[in-house]
Each structure stands twice: as structure tokens, then as C-alpha cells.
Amino acid sequence: NKTLAAQLYSEFREFFPRNAVHYFVSYYDYYQPEAYIPQRDIYIEKDADINQDIDRLRLAATSALMSRRDVIVVASVSCIYGLGSPEDYRAMIVPICKGKELDRQTFLRNLIDLQYERNNVNVSRGKFRVRGEMIEVAPSYQDTSLRIHFDGDRVVEIEEIHPTTGDPLQTMDDVVIYPSKHFVMSE
């Protein structure tokens, strides 16, 4: 269950401090499947409450599996049902390198394909905003955001920023943006 998996996750983080240890369990806090009771002709609609913190941890585990070789994932078996193809997920990533050409409009379409939503007011998990030659992205799998500066169709700067204040935390030479949700597929 989730409690025992969380305990094991915590212990593995202590045992393997240099590895990427992640937690991947079902993200439902509450789940009521749809049902039909023919004797009464009653239909019960599906209802679910998704825990956003667990969703972020699941996406972080997936992005670590795609980018590192030293990953340990503590997971429950039921949480993996219905996930898409790892090959399709891997094909959807968007690498960004400082100094490289990247068509800005194509990049924005790629973010939409990765199920990021545009929101020019408030950038939060799984959303992005455009301000002139700058695009801010809040990946669903991390606590920080990214600010990508363009000069035409060339990436001139990549910054990791604080999600609330917008203050730069570090500059980066390259970054990979992973899908905002697990359920993505190519055309």
C-alpha cells in the first residue's frame, strides 16, 4: 500500500544517497468506478480525486528513468495499469540547448503536444506563458520552473527559476522537457 511504499522510499533514499530514488504509486486519493445497477436502473458516474503531489512524484520518476541510469523506483503494482508505451513517451521529449536554433513556434506547438497549457497570467504545474522572446514553463515533474530566452529562432539562455518569485536559481546549457502527463502519444 501507499504507506508502506512511502516508508520504503524514505529508507531507500537514505541507503542510496547518490542514486535517483523515486516514488510511483497510484495518484488517486479517492476513486469510485462507474457502475450500473439494473434492478433499480441507476447509473453511478465515475468519480475520482487525484493527488497533485503524487502525480508530480510519478512524473519525476518517469523523467528520471528517461534521463539517468542510477534510478530506483519504489512502486505499487496497481499504479502502472493503463500507462502508455515507454517508446511513445520517449519520442515526445523536447531537448533544448543554449546557442542552438529552435523555431519558437514549433517549440510552442511541442509544449501543447506534451499537454502543457498556455496561461499568460499564472504559471503553475503543467502550464507555460509567453512574454515576448521569453517562454516560462512549469514542468509537472519538478518544483522549479524554466525560463527560456530566444533571440529570433535561437535559444540564448536557459534558466531554472523559483516558481513563485521568478528569481533565477541557476543557468543551464541544456535541458529536456518531458510530457506534462503520462497519457501522451504521437500523432
Side-chain angles (χ1 to χ4, degrees):
N1 67 24
K2 289 181 185 179
T3 305
L4 292 174
Q7 182 180 356
L8 189 59
Y9 164 71
S10 177
E11 290 173 5
F12 273 27
R13 287 186 64 166
E14 289 179 29
F15 292 147
F16 303 100
R18 293 190 190 117
N19 291 70
V21 180
H22 289 276
Y23 183 70
F24 196 107
V25 298
S26 175
Y27 56 21
Y28 292 116
D29 280 339
Y30 168 77
Y31 184 79
Q32 166 66 52
E34 67 181 350
Y36 178 69
I37 304 170
Q39 295 87 352
R40 295 188 186 163
D41 192 30
I42 295 175
Y43 170 75
I44 300 170
E45 192 173 336
K46 179 176 97 169
D47 189 21
D49 186 23
I50 294 175
N51 184 312
Q52 294 301 318
D53 289 330
I54 293 177
D55 187 38
R56 181 185 56 76
L57 292 170
R58 287 168 54 102
L59 289 159
T62 306
S63 65
L65 284 168
M66 297 290 168
S67 62
R68 298 180 64 158
R69 295 179 50 90
D70 64 342
V71 180
I72 299 169
V73 178
V74 177
S76 62
V77 175
S78 64
C79 71
I80 63 173
Y81 292 125
L83 283 181
S85 160
E87 291 80 20
D88 287 345
Y89 190 87
R90 186 176 283 116
M92 299 289 292
I93 64 173
V94 177
I96 303 168
C97 297
K98 181 178 173 181
K100 300 281 184 176
E101 277 199 31
L102 176 63
D103 181 69
R104 193 170 158 275
Q105 289 304 101
T106 301
F107 175 61
L108 292 174
R109 278 192 299 276
N110 287 340
L111 288 175
I112 297 295
D113 289 344
L114 296 178
Q115 297 190 17
Y116 285 87
E117 297 174 24
R118 184 169 178 169
N119 182 334
N120 286 337
V121 177
N122 181 22
V123 177
S124 58
R125 269 184 85 239
K127 296 187 177 23
F128 70 95
R129 77 172 149 205
V130 180
R131 290 189 170 172
E133 295 290 303
M134 179 182 65
I135 299 171
E136 291 181 2
V137 181
S140 296
Y141 48 89
Q142 64 187 43
D143 292 328
T144 57
S145 296
L146 300 170
R147 183 178 293 145
I148 299 132
H149 298 267
F150 285 83
D151 183 12
D153 286 337
R154 183 174 299 281
V155 176
V156 293
E157 188 173 33
I158 305 167
E159 296 176 305
E160 183 177 22
I161 60 171
H162 190 279
T164 307
T165 65
D167 294 335
L169 302 172
Q170 67 173 329
T171 59
M172 308 161 87
D173 290 331
D174 53 36
V175 69
V176 175
I177 297 180
Y178 294 92
S180 176
K181 297 176 173 48
H182 279 116
F183 306 102
V184 293
M185 63 178 53
S186 63
E187 288 185 28

